[in-house]
Amino acid sequence: MVKSFENTPFCHEHILGIDGLSPDDITGILDLADTYVEQSRQDDKTTDILHGRTLINLFFENSTRTRTSFELAAKRLGADVINMSIATSAIKKGETLIDTAMTLNAMHADVLVVRHADSGAVQLLAQKVNCAVINAGDGRHEHPTQALLDALTIRRRRGHLDNLTVAISGDIAHSRVARSNIKLLNLMGARVRLIAPPTLLPTGADKLGVEVFTNMEEGLKDCDIVMMLRLQLERMQGSFVPSIREYFRYYGLDREKLKHAKPDALVMHPGPMNRGVEIDSELADDLDRSVIREQVEMGVAVRMACLDILTRNQSRPA
Amino acid sequence: MAGRVAYLNARLLDPATSLDAKGALLVEDGRIADFGPTLFKDGAPSVREVVDCEGLCLAPGLFDIRTQLREPGMEHLETLDSAGDAALAGGVTRVACLPNTDPIIDDVPVVEFIARRAREVRKAKVHCHAALTRGFLGREITEIGLMKDAGVLAFTDAVTATVDAKVLSRALSYAKAFDALVMQHPEEPALSEGGMMNKGLLASELGLAGIPTEAETIMVERDLRLVAMTGGRFHFSHVTTADALEAIRRAKKSGLPVTCDTAPHYFALNENAVGDYRTFAKVSPPLRSEEDRLALIEAIKDGTVDIIASDHAPHDQDSKRLPFSQASFGVIGLETLLPLSLELYHAGHLSLLDVLVKLSHQPTALMGLEGGCLKKGSPADIVIFDPDQDWTIEESALHSKSKNTAFEGRKVKGRVHRTIVDGRSMYSEPLNPKAS
């Protein structure tokens, strides 16, 4: 059913998180994104619905892949794109963020895509600017477009999201991708499991509406989808996990462990991957199981959809 | 070993079931095939060997969960071989060694080395504990999963405390995924630094820097909070003070997964044993006041103390015959674990079975192993001993390579006559040495 917000418009000014979105909002975005997947596969990939609009990528935390994905999405809709990457060492937290917002207001940007190392920082910025803001990841809090593209990937492969068993595995405590995905998947009726060593599970994990496992084989049993998260190598210094070798042995996804999931279970990863740490290298490249490359393609389409719905109803200042 | 051996006329003691009865026991193929008051009542069976226990006690062999065996790296002090002799002479059929060897046990290859050496030496059964943090530095946790799978029993920084609360809480949390046991030497180093005996009047008179009881209590109280926070299984090693024991008592009552042990020198001696700068009384934690010693005995009686372990720490003359401040901390104890623990029985504090509970059944249960009891099918790890036999501890007769005992010349009651491991008699003394 293609909804695309024709009758009931998307009524949010920003996309700061999955928090606050309804299942209809999400379905609408995914439906719209489906059309953009098709558009991106044509020889002529662009339309001009955002012609004359300006999108500014404001990245306080480095990311080439997400920024590029937003840039591509905007350009395929005909917008002008400016990339601002601000080295974190040059920023005094908080104060300069507001200053930056004032500057951008003066420049009449239409959409800001913001990534910041502090949870809540993007929300703070959104309160101060006059344009639409998309959260490209704030601290450990949310990364809504990632969750949306993950959902699109699953929906296109499986036909639906509800009643699927999805295992999210890895450094969940420090992951905004996990948090956004847990919210979205629960909203859409999927059954979510978390798999991690106790030191990488968020406090109160059992109250998030998920099933928690510290044994990966048990957690993967009969799963439809396995979502692996990256383990930052600094976690060894923080005494979260003892070594890469041990982490891979007990929490790394390899064929042996994957056997516990359903035979056609999909393997997902938001990227970038640490091969041999959270995921077996050969498994990551296995096109029959791994949809990691598809996720990247879905990412551009989802971001096109987000840019579309946020700008559709924007009133232009006099 | 194939073949059947019958032990007749024994006082069977099983701390797991509270069995205390005269009877017989049959060993077959290294395991307990049968036992009980009615076994072989009608006469000797057809077996390879019949052992008449002449009324002596027959109980599960002891399991000493805290020993320092010095191999690899310090073989001049002790080896698995010499420690094995000491253990067997003491009725100890199983030991767990601390990881403070050289190299330290913080990696799977060293675990496997010890297992291989133990198989070669083939005396008492040897298990090992591994370091909780790399190099005992208290910063990065070790590969708890891999080492547990390799057979490690528990994780501890051995003779130093794991001080950083964040590291310890993460280690406890992580260990839960593997149901691994974390052990702590409870000592707040900031308070014990430079100290060498119990802080008090005697230390002042002798002019020796003291270690206050608070060094132990503060760490115990803090770590109990971390246990409550993480839910991980935790064991306090060699607890010696009334205050720490009271904290553990309360924690256990509230259901925390906490256990503790103490060593015989802490309930058999007090700080006065230091006397005239006797370095054979220099131990870590230090021997305490008489009040603490008596509180410790009460804690053993009421079950606050789960296990008695020797903390066997071999040191040679070079490191003990020195001015007190320079001498190493530690005393041996494998061979004297049983007779010293029996002092609690002879003084009327515990029954014979209750002493054995703390020496065989509870250690085995805590470490998740099979045995520590008399049970059909269990490995035949057995000690036969005379609980009333008088003898005197003499260092020259002890089997350890190092002779640093705190009990030279002490008269004790309780003598091991035979120690059996997997059905093989590994140590024996004539049953009636006095008979002419």
Side-chain angles (χ1 to χ4, degrees):
Chain A
M1 185 188 74
V2 178
K3 241 184 117 275
S4 303
F5 303 108
E6 267 149 22
N7 297 321
T8 45
F10 185 77
C11 61
H12 305 277
E13 197 188 338
H14 310 290
I15 295 177
L16 299 178
I18 301 299
D19 232 354
L21 295 181
S22 69
D24 280 349
D25 286 331
I26 291 169
T27 305
I29 294 173
L30 298 184
D31 289 345
L32 189 54
D34 267 329
T35 68
Y36 285 122
V37 173
E38 297 321 307
Q39 177 177 323
S40 291
R41 287 178 177 171
Q42 307 310 312
D43 282 340
D44 183 0
K45 299 168 181 43
T46 60
T47 55
D48 60 0
I49 64 162
L50 289 192
H51 177 71
R53 310 283 191 127
T54 306
L55 176 141
I56 301 187
N57 273 327
L58 186 58
F59 275 60
F60 293 88
E61 208 183 52
N62 271 335
S63 155
T64 317
R65 90 180 33 219
T66 305
R67 206 194 66 208
T68 307
S69 184
F70 273 106
E71 184 173 349
L72 259 180
K75 283 182 171 168
R76 288 198 180 149
L77 297 177
D80 295 322
V81 178
I82 304 293
N83 291 316
M84 293 174 71
S85 291
I86 299 168
T88 48
S89 58
I91 296 175
K92 281 184 227 131
K93 291 180 174 55
E95 185 193 20
T96 309
L97 189 64
I98 305 301
D99 280 350
T100 309
M102 298 300 109
T103 309
L104 293 169
N105 272 342
M107 292 183 191
H108 298 297
D110 295 291
V111 182
L112 280 184
V113 174
V114 187
R115 171 172 282 195
H116 199 286
D118 290 333
S119 302
V122 179
Q123 193 174 318
L124 179 61
L125 187 77
Q127 286 161 8
K128 302 291 180 188
V129 296
N130 297 331
C131 58
V133 175
I134 298 181
N135 181 5
D138 65 324
R140 296 183 198 172
H141 180 228
E142 287 242 35
H143 190 357
T145 59
Q146 179 71 44
L148 286 163
L149 75 88
D150 288 338
L152 184 66
T153 309
I154 296 171
R155 196 178 82 162
R156 285 173 71 95
R157 280 292 199 123
R158 286 281 181 268
H160 62 103
L161 288 170
D162 58 320
N163 294 318
L164 292 176
T165 303
V166 181
I168 304 177
S169 175
D171 187 355
I172 298 168
H174 300 94
S175 170
R176 54 194 172 213
V177 170
R179 282 172 178 72
S180 291
N181 264 305
I182 290 168
K183 288 177 184 156
L184 187 151
L185 290 167
N186 276 337
L187 259 183
M188 305 307 283
R191 281 186 296 269
V192 180
R193 295 184 186 173
L194 301 182
I195 303 173
T199 43
L200 296 179
L201 287 169
T203 314
D206 48 323
K207 300 192 180 63
L208 293 173
V210 301
E211 248 188 298
V212 178
F213 293 86
T214 55
N215 178 302
M216 195 171 192
E217 283 86 351
E218 280 170 28
L220 288 178
K221 200 162 177 344
D222 299 331
C223 273
D224 297 292
I225 315 280
V226 184
M227 229 183 244
M228 298 307 299
L229 301 174
R230 193 171 135 253
L231 178 76
Q232 283 179 290
L233 300 179
E234 300 83 78
R235 297 295 165 231
M236 261 64 85
Q237 272 80 62
S239 264
F240 291 96
V241 295
S243 66
I244 291 176
R245 177 169 66 177
E246 170 141 324
Y247 187 80
F248 187 64
R249 163 72 185 79
Y250 297 101
Y251 295 100
L253 186 67
D254 54 20
R255 288 201 187 275
E256 268 313 298
K257 297 197 192 81
L258 188 58
K259 279 187 191 152
H260 292 265
K262 287 204 178 124
D264 60 347
L266 299 176
V267 174
M268 300 177 68
H269 194 304
M273 291 184 284
N274 277 330
R275 290 165 182 267
V277 179
E278 70 265 3
I279 188 165
D280 177 84
S281 198
E282 186 254 337
L283 181 60
D285 294 331
D286 180 353
L287 295 174
D288 289 330
R289 308 308 300 273
S290 159
V291 295
I292 294 171
R293 291 199 184 117
E294 229 162 281
Q295 286 172 273
V296 177
E297 186 190 359
M298 298 304 121
V300 179
V302 153
R303 286 160 182 144
M304 290 168 80
C306 290
L307 291 173
D308 181 341
I309 49 164
L310 282 179
T311 53
R312 237 180 236 197
N313 301 310
Q314 266 179 344
S315 55
R316 303 214 126 269
Chain B
M1 282 277 168
R4 291 147 57 91
V5 181
Y7 296 88
L8 307 183
N9 295 325
R11 178 181 171 189
L12 300 172
L13 290 161
D14 180 16
T17 58
S18 300
L19 170 71
D20 182 352
K22 289 201 174 5
L25 184 138
L26 174 65
V27 172
E28 183 168 2
D29 291 337
R31 293 191 173 258
I32 298 174
D34 200 357
F35 67 97
T38 56
L39 185 63
F40 303 140
K41 258 225 139 71
D42 302 321
S46 61
V47 292
R48 182 167 57 83
E49 186 189 346
V50 173
V51 176
D52 185 345
C53 301
E54 298 184 21
L56 294 189
C57 294
L58 186 153
L62 278 54
F63 177 14
D64 192 343
I65 65 161
R66 189 181 175 88
T67 61
Q68 300 175 46
L69 302 187
R70 305 295 186 224
E71 182 176 350
M74 290 157 280
E75 288 84 354
H76 59 293
L77 298 176
E78 192 84 276
T79 62
L80 292 183
D81 197 47
S82 56
D85 288 333
L88 294 172
V92 176
T93 52
R94 177 176 254 156
V95 298
C97 68
L98 286 182
N100 57 334
T101 45
D102 181 13
I104 75 176
I105 309 175
D106 68 352
D107 205 4
V108 170
V110 189
V111 176
E112 291 176 345
F113 168 82
I114 304 239
R116 179 173 65 76
R117 282 292 296 141
R119 280 194 300 272
E120 286 167 6
V121 163
R122 220 172 167 212
K123 290 187 172 162
K125 292 173 174 171
V126 179
H127 301 262
C128 64
H129 302 307
L132 183 65
T133 65
R134 288 184 193 279
F136 302 136
L137 295 174
R139 285 201 289 266
E140 293 174 6
I141 58 179
T142 54
E143 293 169 320
I144 291 175
L146 289 171
M147 288 200 282
K148 181 127 201 291
D149 277 351
V152 165
L153 294 185
F155 295 84
T156 178
D157 283 337
V159 297
T160 53
T162 311
V163 179
D164 188 309
K166 185 179 76 176
V167 171
L168 185 55
S169 65
R170 291 217 175 120
L172 265 169
S173 196
Y174 185 82
K176 254 175 38 187
F178 304 94
D179 194 27
L181 179 66
V182 173
M183 301 199 307
Q184 171 79 302
H185 162 93
E187 178 186 333
E188 170 49 69
L191 289 179
S192 65
E193 198 191 335
M196 51 195 92
M197 69 170 286
N198 190 41
K199 190 170 166 76
L201 188 58
L202 182 59
S204 299
E205 284 170 358
L206 291 172
L208 297 176
I211 300 171
T213 58
E214 283 81 356
E216 180 176 289
T217 314
I218 285 176
M219 200 52 112
V220 166
E221 289 181 341
R222 183 201 80 162
D223 290 349
L224 287 171
R225 294 277 176 197
L226 297 181
V227 173
M229 184 172 100
T230 60
R233 291 197 298 133
F234 201 82
H235 179 86
F236 289 103
S237 301
H238 45 219
V239 184
T240 65
T241 67
D243 289 336
L245 290 163
E246 177 55 29
I248 293 170
R249 185 178 284 122
R250 280 195 312 265
K252 284 173 142 194
K253 231 187 225 134
S254 74
L256 285 184
V258 154
T259 50
C260 71
D261 69 68
T262 197
H265 38 277
Y266 296 114
F267 58 76
L269 297 170
N270 62 31
E271 60 185 337
N272 295 328
V274 172
D276 265 346
Y277 304 97
R278 285 189 68 242
T279 61
F280 293 94
K282 184 175 181 184
V283 285
S284 169
L287 300 174
R288 300 289 186 186
S289 68
E290 179 64 6
E291 287 76 35
D292 280 319
R293 187 186 77 88
L294 294 174
L296 178 59
I297 292 174
E298 282 310 306
I300 295 171
K301 281 164 74 170
D302 75 11
T304 303
V305 173
D306 303 90
I307 289 166
I308 299 172
S310 71
D311 201 7
H312 181 85
H315 289 289
D316 57 9
Q317 304 271 39
D318 288 345
S319 37
K320 278 297 203 184
R321 292 218 180 281
L322 290 170
F324 201 89
S325 70
Q326 294 170 30
S328 296
F329 291 92
V331 291
I332 55 171
L334 265 171
E335 202 168 335
T336 52
L337 177 63
L338 180 61
L340 290 169
S341 299
L342 287 176
E343 288 187 355
L344 296 168
Y345 158 64
H346 290 295
H349 296 302
L350 280 103
S351 69
L352 201 43
L353 274 174
D354 284 338
V355 174
L356 295 173
V357 160
K358 309 233 189 269
L359 294 172
S360 54
H361 177 57
Q362 242 141 237
T364 312
L366 180 65
M367 296 299 160
L369 295 171
E370 189 196 0
C373 58
L374 296 182
K375 195 170 109 171
K376 280 191 208 177
S378 266
D381 297 336
I382 287 163
V383 58
I384 299 174
F385 66 98
D386 182 343
D388 300 312
Q389 185 174 336
D390 295 304
W391 59 288
T392 304
I393 296 174
E394 276 156 34
E395 62 172 48
S396 54
L398 295 175
H399 293 74
S400 303
K401 217 167 186 184
S402 298
K403 311 291 188 194
N404 54 316
T405 173
F407 296 100
E408 170 72 3
R410 187 168 179 119
K411 291 185 169 48
V412 289
K413 288 163 88 77
R415 184 96 186 160
V416 170
H417 281 276
R418 193 181 279 239
T419 307
I420 297 143
V421 178
D422 283 334
R424 284 163 45 242
S425 175
M426 304 294 298
Y427 174 85
S428 65
E429 280 186 1
L431 283 174
N432 273 317
K434 301 190 294 290
S436 42

